[in-house]
Each structure stands twice: as C-alpha cells, then as structure tokens.
Amino acid sequence: MVSALVDGRLTGTCTFDEKHQGAPGLAHGGVVAAVLDEASGTVPTHSGIPAVTAKLTVNYVKPAPLHRQMAVSAHIDRRDGDRKLHIYARLELDGELIAESDAPFIVVTPEHFRAHGAKEGELPFLGV
C-alpha cells in the first residue's frame, strides 16, 4: 500500500494480485479487512498518537477485483475522551465504494510497543 497523510487524512492506493486471491479473480475478504486496518492504524501512528485497534467492523459492498488499482483513505471520525479514537476507512475502485470500516482504537503509552519489541525510531512517537 502506498500512502500519504495530510491534515490527519490518509490517502493511498493498493492493488491486489494472485497472492491475495479468495474466490477466482477476487481479493480475499480478510486481505481487504487487513488493508482497511492498516490504513486506519496509520492515521494515529503518523499523527504521533500511540494507539491499537480494539475492534474492526467491515462493510463489504462490492467484490475487490485483482489487478486493479484502488484508492484507500482513512481519518479519525471522532474521539471519545482521551483514550478512544473512532477511525473510518474506505476502499474504492473508480470512485465506487468496495468496502468500508469503522474501528475504535485505544490510545496506549509508547511503552506498550516497546514491550512488544519496537525499537527507538521505528514509530513516530518512540523518538528519533
């Protein structure tokens, strides 16, 4: 996935191929969910907010074909208090919705990531 974060909104592209296939010619739903989760997680990470996915709800609208470049986007839809972010993400093909997700993320301390092996400089909030 190629992406950029501008003003808190991630935009990018992805293309599925045979290694992502579920049904013939189509991306597996789990791979589609993984792209939406990755896009969602990129928003707080690159905004300097250490957070983890609490739940990912995916609405599959249309099949995701192989070998077609798709647009992916994500942004923080709302925030509940200091610890909960709601992130909305979508995958589109030629402007048509393929799938969308809503994911509550829980803000954690940077130590959460260090405890699981992250090194200084690997994530924006872990230092340079």
Side-chain angles (χ1 to χ4, degrees):
M1 183 167 72
V2 178
S3 62
L5 185 73
V6 177
D7 295 328
R9 180 175 293 272
L10 173 118
T11 57
T13 60
C14 70
T15 304
F16 299 113
D17 62 28
E18 283 74 18
K19 67 181 169 273
H20 307 112
Q21 184 169 268
L26 301 173
H28 189 283
V31 176
V32 170
V35 166
L36 294 170
D37 186 42
E38 182 66 20
S40 295
T42 298
V43 175
T45 298
H46 290 290
S47 298
I49 304 169
V52 296
T53 311
K55 181 178 182 180
L56 181 73
T57 303
V58 179
N59 179 31
Y60 298 95
V61 178
K62 293 185 175 186
L66 303 182
H67 308 293
R68 300 280 308 274
Q69 183 171 293
M70 293 183 223
V72 62
S73 62
H75 66 276
I76 297 173
D77 187 46
R78 66 187 187 284
R79 194 167 186 157
D80 291 336
D82 293 335
R83 293 208 57 224
K84 197 170 192 181
L85 309 172
H86 292 270
I87 300 178
Y88 174 77
R90 60 189 291 130
L91 183 68
E92 297 178 348
L93 175 63
D94 299 330
E96 292 190 36
L97 183 63
I98 298 296
E100 62 186 346
S101 67
D102 179 51
F105 273 66
I106 304 301
V107 176
V108 297
T109 65
E111 285 69 36
H112 169 85
F113 294 99
R114 285 191 192 99
H116 295 284
K119 307 278 188 277
E120 293 297 321
E122 281 187 305
L123 297 171
F125 45 77
L126 289 179
V128 179

